[in-house]
Amino acid sequence: MNFIIKQKTVKEIIKNLGALMTAKVTKDILNGVLFELSPKGLTITASDGDETIKQRTDELDVNDTGTCVIPRDFLRTITKLTGEMEFSLDGYQLTVSKGKTKLQTVVLPADEYPDMQAENPMYQLKYTGKQWSDIVTATAYAASTSDTRPVLQGVHIDVSAAGQKFVCTDSHRMGEICFTDGEITEELAITLPGKMLQATLNSFDLSKDVMVVGFRNYVALFNSNIIHTIRAIEGNYPDTARLIPESYSTEIVVARQDLLDNMRLLNSMLNTDSSIVTFEIANNSLGINTKAETKNGETYVECEEIIGKGLKISLNAVFFIEAVLSFKSDYVRIKFTGPLRPFVMVGESEDDSHLALMLPVRTY
């Protein structure tokens, strides 16, 4: 194996591999990255056993084809070289040269590198890059970080004759987005890790389509020259439809950025992931205040519209900020049913077709 490649291309490859470059693995060979060089280009594969990213590049000069598994730490080291570098494999010793500089490492045989079992796909779904970004942004932020219920760490995909629904909840908050367009050829229900879906927003070219190809227990996401394979999370996903209130007693419309700025101000003062703020709706404005042992703060956000009666409700500031960030609208509508009942947030523009739901915090 012998080829010449630019440092810029190697850095882009490593960037697209994301967290897999540092992931903990149970097999030693997964501490390496699979290189497969053909006359048409280079295919790179990284995996931790549950997640696999495969990408292809033709931005190199191929002198001699071949395959090997290169240690991840060695790849990170060679990015410190500049300009073009030459990869040359002799047996199980790889040499990377740049001018008078030579770096060498022992590599492993490619045939030992595991791969997802080849099988016939069960379904295919296609989205524009914008749709895919909207799906992940509207849902994955609400994934659980606890191992108590692994299924809540994922985004649940439910495809039926009624349409496509993507939902994510950690039992304290929820993000949901639905699509009714497109032809449904196969009904399915599958849960994919939220963190892994968020990683695709950094590696995918969102100016191009994303194809979701489903297999028995994993999904392959195709985008441009990248294939991101994710193992599904097992377990029954909870029925989230019953969480959404059927009617509301109070609704307000506020400027998204104004709300976000004021929430960030109060939260940064407390500097804690569990900071609690209290909303008080009265006199055409939303009062926001927080109190701690040595600190307290209060601010007001003007409401563009208020429907219904006044209300006082407490909530998790961090969760609320993350929910607001999932919207793109200039204005958001927040709908309440009472101080101890779930409340819902939706965007006021057509570009925001999702909803965010949160449970209030009981204070004494």
Side-chain angles (χ1 to χ4, degrees), residues 125-127 131 135 158-166 176-185 350 353-354:
L125 303 170
K126 185 178 181 180
Y127 305 97
Q131 284 177 322
I135 289 168
D158 192 344
V159 178
S160 67
Q164 303 178 36
K165 182 171 78 170
F166 300 79
E176 178 185 282
I177 186 169
C178 300
F179 295 98
T180 56
D181 55 341
E183 182 180 352
I184 304 300
T185 58
E350 293 182 357
S353 58
H354 71 283

Side-chain angles (χ1 to χ4, degrees), residues 5 53 62 71-72 83 95 118 125 137 139 143 164 167 172 207 213 221 231 237 281-282 292 294 322 325 329 333:
I5 191 170
I53 296 178
V62 179
R72 296 182 301 189
T95 301
L125 303 170
T137 302
T139 57
Q164 303 178 36
V167 64
H172 301 288
S207 66
V213 180
L221 310 174
R231 195 174 300 278
Y237 207 80
I281 301 167
T294 60
E322 290 178 343
L325 287 171
S329 300
R333 181 179 295 271

Side-chain angles (χ1 to χ4, degrees), residues 5-11 78-83 85:
I5 191 170
K6 293 181 179 179
Q7 179 239 32
K8 176 183 175 182
T9 305
V10 176
K11 290 187 73 172
I78 64 174
T79 60
K80 296 178 173 62
L81 299 174
T82 58
M85 59 188 80

Side-chain angles (χ1 to χ4, degrees), residues 134 137-138 176-178 323 326-328 345-347 352-356:
D134 289 345
T137 302
E176 178 185 282
I177 186 169
C178 300
S326 71
F327 293 94
K328 300 186 294 290
M345 188 188 313
V346 295
D352 277 327
S353 58
H354 71 283
L355 68 82

